[in-house]
Amino acid sequence: MSAWTTPADLRTQVERLWRSGRILSSCLSREELFPRRLTLKGPRAGEIFERFAEVRDWIANLQRECGNYRLVFSEHNNRLLGTNALPSEVWVDDTQAALRLVGKTRQAATFEQLVATTRAGQPELLAWLEKRPLEALELAPEWPSLMATVKWLRSNPRPDIYIRQIDIQGVDTKFIEKRKRVLAELFELALPPDAVDDEWRGAAGFEARYGFRRKPTRLRFRLLDPALSPLTPGVIEEGGEQADLDFTLPASVVSELRLPVERVFITENEINFLAFPEVPGSLVIFGGGYALDLLAEITWLRECEVHYWGDIDTHGFAILDRLRSYFPSTRSLLMDRETFMAHEGKWGSEKTPVNRDLPRLNTGETELYDDLRCNRLGERLRLEQELISYTVLLAALQ
């Protein structure tokens, strides 16, 4: 009897409708889901006689739970058993019956309340409820705060303040950070076009898109020549040591610096950044990977010799290639085959190698990059920059 439809099978069919969100959204879309005929698989003609007792149990089982669905019977004639009525169709007649069948009556009532509140307060958001009804149920406790945030921004478009400064009961920075995606979708429905900067998208562009102030992007650099210091010569830190010329400034401020710098080193490793030796007329920047886009805005770098020191792996070469899209004359530092082969005992493994062409590498870099991405020297090999001997760095800087 396992192949014959059971009450559980009927519930499963309606649960699929629930999980798709269509039952809830139908109250907004006016989609006619019910009455709805469900799939019913019963005994074949020969089985009625061969398994008559099982057939009776099957019918009784369906009838026992048919309060939320309707069975349609048809007659079957058998010369030995006579005329018997068997279920041939099963119907769910309306939405309430469907909700009772899958045990979702309470959730549907909650959704109806969300719809009523939204229709009365911000009907433009009904489209979001129709599109994401199940997510709306999960957010039901937060829905008033979400609506309040949308209403506030409609009244204060492009406010030019930090999110921390929004003054809404029950809404704080963490709430907005946690719900950026949902809020963005709601803002798109509620805000006029001139309140949205379409050049910015995604979570990273949330503040700029809707007119909030963004946390200033910062660059960290060290002056490698004391003569370049903007500080009074010989400034002494607490503890009696001369002040380290390590600065972290907004990128906009760095772009306005007017230091007589001849060369710039860029490294992604903090220890290498901190331990980088003095070099006349030079500075070192920390964070080649994440800072590349910031560096592109610093026009005075184009007047300097730029040297990039990254890991000898496919990602390091990809960053070098990208950096050259901003500063074509960038030179690599200690990212050559000789350095790589000299540190064989310190090779590691790269988890997710890059495997695309990098057109801005020179011939030697391209050959080594191809050897790494094609595993010609070993499986996913890499050499992290901090494992390179310090004396090798000093020699290279000569």
Side-chain angles (χ1 to χ4, degrees):
M1 197 174 73
S2 59
W4 305 342
T5 299
T6 66
D9 296 329
L10 298 177
R11 281 194 296 273
T12 297
Q13 293 180 53
V14 179
E15 282 172 350
R16 281 197 291 267
L17 272 180
W18 171 266
R19 289 195 297 270
S20 72
R22 290 174 63 191
I23 293 179
L24 290 177
S25 64
S26 64
C27 73
L28 288 164
S29 66
R30 305 304 179 187
E31 180 184 9
E32 295 292 342
L33 292 177
F34 305 100
R36 188 180 193 86
R37 183 178 176 176
L38 303 182
T39 300
L40 178 68
K41 183 175 182 181
R44 298 187 299 272
E47 292 177 315
I48 298 173
F49 174 72
E50 297 168 359
R51 303 169 61 182
F52 186 69
E54 293 178 53
V55 171
R56 285 191 307 179
D57 291 342
W58 173 69
I59 296 172
N61 194 30
L62 287 176
Q63 290 178 318
R64 192 161 36 244
E65 301 193 33
C66 73
N68 299 316
Y69 52 80
R70 174 170 53 87
L71 294 173
V72 177
F73 288 80
S74 59
E75 292 185 348
H76 291 259
N77 295 313
N78 183 282
R79 63 185 182 86
L80 296 176
L81 298 175
T83 300
N84 293 276
L86 270 70
S88 57
E89 298 177 8
V90 59
W91 290 80
V92 176
D93 288 326
D94 53 46
T95 300
Q96 291 305 313
L99 293 170
R100 291 194 302 269
L101 183 60
V102 296
K104 301 296 184 182
T105 302
R106 179 178 56 80
Q107 292 89 330
T110 298
F111 184 74
E112 289 177 2
Q113 183 59 49
L114 289 177
V115 170
T117 300
T118 306
R119 181 173 281 118
Q122 296 185 65
E124 63 275 10
L125 303 184
L126 290 173
W128 190 89
L129 294 179
E130 179 182 341
K131 182 179 180 181
R132 303 190 185 278
L134 296 182
E135 186 174 358
L137 275 182
E138 295 177 2
L139 293 173
E142 301 175 13
W143 190 248
S145 295
L146 290 167
M147 289 182 61
T149 305
V150 175
K151 182 178 180 180
W152 183 90
L153 193 58
R154 284 195 65 178
S155 300
N156 301 274
R158 307 201 64 78
D160 192 28
I161 62 173
Y162 291 108
I163 288 175
R164 176 68 178 85
Q165 295 173 275
I166 295 177
D167 188 14
I168 304 173
Q169 182 67 32
V171 175
D172 55 28
T173 306
K174 289 186 177 180
F175 175 84
I176 293 180
E177 290 290 338
K178 183 180 178 182
R179 297 301 183 195
K180 274 186 176 181
R181 180 190 61 79
V182 173
L183 283 169
E185 293 176 357
L186 299 178
F187 290 160
E188 296 300 307
L189 294 171
L191 297 179
D194 59 1
V196 179
D197 186 343
D198 208 41
E199 292 186 9
W200 298 89
R201 296 183 181 275
F206 182 88
E207 287 82 358
R209 185 172 179 83
Y210 302 113
F212 293 103
R213 289 184 185 177
R214 292 177 293 165
K215 183 170 61 176
T217 51
R218 293 178 173 272
L219 279 174
R220 184 180 178 188
F221 65 93
R222 285 181 60 235
L223 297 174
L224 303 176
D225 183 348
L228 301 177
S229 175
L231 303 176
T232 302
V235 171
I236 303 299
E237 289 184 328
E238 185 178 350
E241 296 183 0
Q242 183 167 317
D244 187 18
L245 303 178
D246 184 343
F247 301 90
T248 301
L249 297 172
S252 58
V253 175
V254 176
S255 66
E256 297 299 322
L257 288 178
R258 291 295 179 265
L259 298 172
V261 176
E262 299 175 4
R263 66 187 63 81
V264 173
F265 299 93
I266 303 169
T267 182
E268 295 179 82
N269 180 270
E270 186 174 24
I271 294 300
N272 283 345
F273 167 81
L274 293 171
F276 212 95
E278 289 188 359
V279 181
S282 304
L283 63 78
V284 60
I285 295 174
F286 172 53
Y290 72 82
L292 292 188
D293 293 333
L294 303 181
L295 296 177
E297 304 300 321
I298 303 176
T299 56
W300 57 263
L301 284 178
R302 296 184 176 87
E303 303 170 7
C304 304
E305 291 181 15
V306 178
H307 301 259
Y308 175 69
W309 182 19
D311 297 328
I312 304 181
D313 59 15
T314 61
H315 285 276
F317 283 118
I319 293 172
L320 174 61
D321 178 81
R322 185 177 168 197
L323 185 60
R324 282 184 178 146
S325 70
Y326 304 128
F327 309 108
S329 61
T330 298
R331 305 177 188 179
S332 61
L333 175 65
L334 296 176
M335 296 179 69
D336 55 87
R337 186 179 299 273
E338 180 182 356
T339 301
F340 187 73
M341 300 307 295
H343 292 77
E344 181 176 355
K346 297 182 179 180
W347 290 348
S349 178
E350 192 173 17
K351 291 183 179 180
T352 55
V354 175
N355 191 20
R356 65 176 185 274
D357 291 341
L358 302 177
R360 301 178 188 89
L361 301 185
N362 63 33
T363 301
E365 294 160 353
T366 297
E367 291 174 352
L368 179 54
Y369 169 69
D370 286 342
D371 284 349
L372 293 174
R373 68 168 171 159
C374 297
N375 298 313
R376 294 172 186 150
L377 302 174
E379 188 70 20
R380 297 185 299 175
L381 293 181
R382 71 187 301 239
L383 174 62
E384 296 178 78
Q385 57 189 270
E386 65 266 31
L387 300 180
I388 294 174
S389 168
Y390 192 71
T391 57
V392 170
L393 171 63
L394 294 176
L397 292 176
Q398 295 300 316

